[in-house]
Every structure is written in structure tokens, then in C-alpha cells.
Amino acid sequence: MTGPPVVILTGAGISAESGLGTFRDVGGLWSRYDWRDLATPEGFARDPGFVLDFYNWRRERVRAASPNAVHLALARLARDYGGPVTLITQNVDDLHERAGHAGVIHMHGTHLTALCAACGHRWPAPEVMHPRDPCPACAAAKTRPDVVWFGETPYHMDLIAEALAKAALFVSIGTSGTVYPAAAFAARARAAGARTVELNLEPSENKSLFDEAYHGPASEIVPRWVDSHLAD
Ligand code: OAD
């Protein structure tokens, strides 16, 4: 491991070309649904059936999707780069893993597990979650998706802080840069001395934080960027 440490942050834009909707683009999930109803603990407390139905539908969409050229290119980077690559994703799908990428940090959780809101136990997500499902550990009927909602603390923040502090290169891919704390990672990596690169369909909210930027569909710009980084 001799190459300088690389930290990559991915968002919904990298799974768009696998057919999974983003959140804030025109027609995105949060233009069709109210995130207060579907992505907050308060919304879940008000109407658990509605929230579970939404995530059952999204889980089904993820199951039917396949990794695209972006997931494959990033897995290739992790495999072939002669240095540490830390991949942090805001995505709750498992397309990085299905592309062969190991050790992905899912800061917003994952569709693959269910979480008991009463005792914190996790277990493999059933195909369909129902409000009456009992927790296998404590039997409470408080099953929820293991995804981080607004107002909750993202997962693995210590691991992420350590990676950002050591990064020589920080690359943000397919994210609008609007949701914190992820939106602050480019600034934190830069303050710690990293060069920063943005790969996105269009300039993000964070565009002033990047030393370099490439805009276009991720399936075109990411494999090209990976090739050039591996050739360096
Ligand atoms: P957003 O929907 O906010 O942003 C997606 C970004 O991807 C936008 O900047 C698009 O321009 C870009 N994009 C769309 N299609 C693309 C393509 N084919 N190639 C490259 N870029 C493309 O999604 P996130 O930034 O991931 O959180 O959203 C962050 C968080 O907000 C999500 O993790 C989710 C959401 O609320 C939770 O659920 C907690």
C-alpha cells in the first residue's frame, strides 16, 4: 500500500443509471413525497404502515436493479489502486457490494437489514416489512428499515472522521451536497490537506469546495476518471 489515501463519497446520482430515482432532481423522490412523512422518526410514529410500504417498494426496486459502470469502475479502483481507498456511500442500496466492492461504509444505513426501534437489534430485512412484525430479539412490534432518517445521527462517523483526516484525495460522486454531515466532508478533507474532485451531472451546491470538477452522466465520467487515476 504505497499510493496516497483516497476517500470517495457517493450519492444517489451513481445509482440513477441503474434505474433508481434520486431525491432532489426534477421528478426525484422528494418532489413526489414529503420527506417529513417518510424519512423522520416522527413520520414513522404517525403512520408506520405508510412508511414501511414506501421502503418495501424501494427495497423491491433495489432488488430488481443491477450495478452499473460506475459501481464497477469504483470496485476496480479499490482493487487495482496501490493505496488505501475508503468508500463512503449515502446510498442504502447494495449496488457497490454487488459490483464486488468490499468494506463500503453505509453512513445512511442499508435496505439489507431491519432494525428494532425498541431494542436496536438488527436482522436480515424480510422482503416485506409489516408494522406487526415482532423483533426476533425482544418481540416488540417496532420493526423499521435500518436507514438513517432526518434528525438521526449517521452511522460510522468515527471511522469517517479518521479517513477524512488522512485523505490525500477526496472525490465526491453523484451527490447534490445538500444533506449534512456528508455535505461537509469536502471542506473537512480539504482543511486536512486533501485535493478535492467533484464528478456529478451538474455543479453541486458545494462546487466552490472542489479543486477539480467533471460534469456529465456518471457512467461516462467516472470510468474515465478511474482510468486516468490508475494510470497516474
Ligand atoms: P440527491 O438527489 O440530493 O442528489 C443527486 C445528485 O446526483 C444531483 O446533484 C444530480 O445532479 C446528480 N445526478 C443525477 N443523475 C446523475 C447521473 N446520471 N450521473 C451523475 N450525477 C447524477 O441525492 P444525494 O445527494 O445522494 O438521505 O442525497 C443525500 C441524501 O438525501 C440521501 O442519502 C437521502 C436523501 O434524503 C436519507 O435518506 C437520510
Side-chain angles (χ1 to χ4, degrees):
M1 289 273 164
T2 51
V6 177
V7 175
I8 298 172
L9 172 70
T10 61
I14 76 150
S15 295
E17 292 169 77
S18 291
L20 301 178
T22 60
F23 296 95
R24 293 173 187 79
D25 294 298
V26 175
L29 283 172
W30 296 155
S31 70
R32 289 180 286 141
Y33 303 97
D34 191 331
W35 59 267
R36 293 172 205 80
D37 292 333
L38 292 167
T40 63
E42 295 77 17
F44 181 62
R46 268 195 309 274
D47 193 343
F50 180 60
V51 174
L52 292 186
D53 279 351
F54 174 76
Y55 288 92
N56 288 338
W57 166 72
R58 287 199 64 204
R59 195 175 316 106
E60 176 53 39
R61 296 289 311 269
V62 167
R63 281 212 179 94
S66 302
N68 64 46
V70 184
H71 304 98
L72 292 166
L74 294 177
R76 184 161 56 85
L77 176 73
R79 196 179 56 238
D80 295 348
Y81 178 61
V85 176
T86 303
L87 177 62
I88 306 163
T89 188
Q90 298 167 90
N91 299 345
V92 296
D93 66 52
D94 60 338
L95 297 183
H96 282 303
E97 285 84 353
R98 283 198 262 148
H101 209 135
V104 178
I105 299 175
H106 280 273
M107 66 176 290
H108 288 169
T110 164
H111 272 319
L112 293 186
T113 46
L115 172 68
C116 174
C119 76
H121 180 67
R122 290 185 168 83
W123 66 100
E127 267 185 36
V128 176
M129 285 186 203
H130 190 276
R132 282 194 298 272
D133 289 347
C135 166
C138 77
K142 293 274 182 197
T143 297
R144 58 165 280 182
D146 191 10
V147 303
V148 175
W149 286 329
F150 290 100
E152 298 181 322
T153 306
Y155 298 155
H156 312 299
M157 290 309 292
D158 290 350
L159 211 55
I160 291 171
E162 210 177 297
L164 292 174
K166 288 187 196 147
L169 177 63
F170 175 84
V171 190
S172 172
I173 310 179
T175 174
S176 58
T178 49
V179 175
Y180 286 81
F185 292 172
R188 282 171 61 184
R190 202 184 217 186
R195 191 161 65 85
T196 55
V197 180
E198 170 168 88
L199 303 167
N200 203 46
L201 192 59
E202 59 199 6
S204 71
E205 293 287 318
N206 273 341
K207 57 180 185 289
S208 61
L209 298 173
F210 295 99
D211 300 313
E212 264 174 69
Y214 303 92
H215 298 127
S219 62
E220 291 173 19
I221 59 177
V222 175
R224 205 180 304 145
W225 178 82
V226 166
D227 285 343
S228 73
H229 191 68
L230 288 175
D232 269 355

